[in-house]
């Protein structure tokens, strides 16, 4: 824990004395030498997500121009690095709403809301309603979850199908489970 880190790296910690009024003591004894790296980390994360979102937009732009739904292209070359469901859904959004960033971001936003619904259901299957709502609220306020829910990437779809599969698996494992639950689990796993 924190005390072991303080003992092992005493020069990283400031304000480790009891009753200290330093900023590190007020912020839960965060190592002050790590604070300068926080903005760098945030900028790197934002740029990485922005570039990934641009790549997805480029992929969809080439697909839009070529009218090829089966083989995604990136800068004129076939691109098989990701599963195609996200690209197909984004292409459908582009056709329905026009080619702009908001249409591309609609897919991960809906997937993020679906992850929250699957988390709520998983919490009610494994625990009680109160625990389910608290866990869903914690997930909904997590910075990484909010960030990935706004970026045109396939990660939120993966999170949705994984969470849904765990919830269906937990429901199928009950003794009173209907025989159709394993079939639903297979469908969620793809």
């Amino acid at each position: 824990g924190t005390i072991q880190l303080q003992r092992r790296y005493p020069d990283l910690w400031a304000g480790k004395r009891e009753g200290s009024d330093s900023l590190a003591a007020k912020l839960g004894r965060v190592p002050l030498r790590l604070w300068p790296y926080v903005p760098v980390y945030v900028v790197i994360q934002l740029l990485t997500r922005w570039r990934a979102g641009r790549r997805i937009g480029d992929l969809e732009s080439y697909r839009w121009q070529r009218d090829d739904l089966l083989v995604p292209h990136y800068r004129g070359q076939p691109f098989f690095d990701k599963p195609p469901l996200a690209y197909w859904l984004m292409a459908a959004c582009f056709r329905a709403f026009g080619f702009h960033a908001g249409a591309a971001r609609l897919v991960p936003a809906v997937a993020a809301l679906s992850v929250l619904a699957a988390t709520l259901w998983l919490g009610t299957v494994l625990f009680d309603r109160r625990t389910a709502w608290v866990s869903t609220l914690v997930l909904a306020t997590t910075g990484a979850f909010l960030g990935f829910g706004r970026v045109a990437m396939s990660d939120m779809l993966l999170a949705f199908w994984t969470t849904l599969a765990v919830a269906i698996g937990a429901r199928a494992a009950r003794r009173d489970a209907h025989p159709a639950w394993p079939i639903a689990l297979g469908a969620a796993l793809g």
Side-chain angles (χ1 to χ4, degrees):
T2 303
I3 294 176
Q4 292 173 345
L5 286 173
Q6 288 176 352
R7 288 182 185 153
R8 188 167 182 179
Y9 305 105
D11 57 325
L12 287 177
W13 294 83
K16 60 185 175 181
R17 297 179 310 274
E18 293 296 320
S20 174
D21 291 328
S22 73
L23 180 61
K26 291 179 182 175
L27 295 176
R29 300 175 190 228
V30 175
L32 285 180
R33 287 196 180 174
L34 297 180
W35 277 102
Y37 299 105
V38 170
V40 174
Y41 174 77
V42 169
V43 167
I44 288 172
Q45 291 298 318
L46 290 175
L47 286 176
T48 303
R49 291 180 187 155
W50 176 74
R51 288 187 65 220
R54 261 189 89 187
R55 185 184 73 216
I56 299 296
D58 288 345
L59 279 166
E60 292 309 317
S61 138
Y62 281 109
R63 180 180 323 229
W64 182 267
Q65 293 167 1
R66 296 172 62 109
D67 201 25
D68 185 4
L69 288 177
L70 291 179
V71 179
H73 287 78
Y74 180 61
R75 299 191 178 181
Q77 300 294 322
F79 182 79
F80 299 109
D81 289 357
K82 300 281 184 178
L85 179 62
Y87 304 132
W88 293 340
L89 293 174
M90 285 183 204
C93 285
F94 285 141
R95 290 207 186 255
F97 304 112
F99 189 75
H100 56 85
R105 291 178 180 158
L106 185 62
V107 173
V110 170
L113 293 174
S114 302
V115 169
L116 293 175
T119 302
L120 183 65
W121 182 45
L122 176 62
T124 56
V125 168
L126 294 177
F127 303 106
D128 58 351
R129 279 183 187 242
R130 183 174 184 268
T131 305
W133 279 104
V134 168
S135 63
T136 303
L137 181 64
V138 168
L139 178 62
T141 57
T142 303
F145 183 79
L146 291 172
F148 279 107
R150 296 182 57 205
V151 178
M153 293 174 57
S154 60
D155 296 338
M156 270 300 152
L157 281 173
L158 174 65
F160 166 66
W161 290 110
T162 304
T163 308
L164 184 64
V166 170
I168 292 172
R171 183 64 180 97
R174 288 187 171 182
R175 291 181 190 209
D176 63 340
H178 191 272
W181 283 111
I183 297 169
L185 177 61
L189 290 174

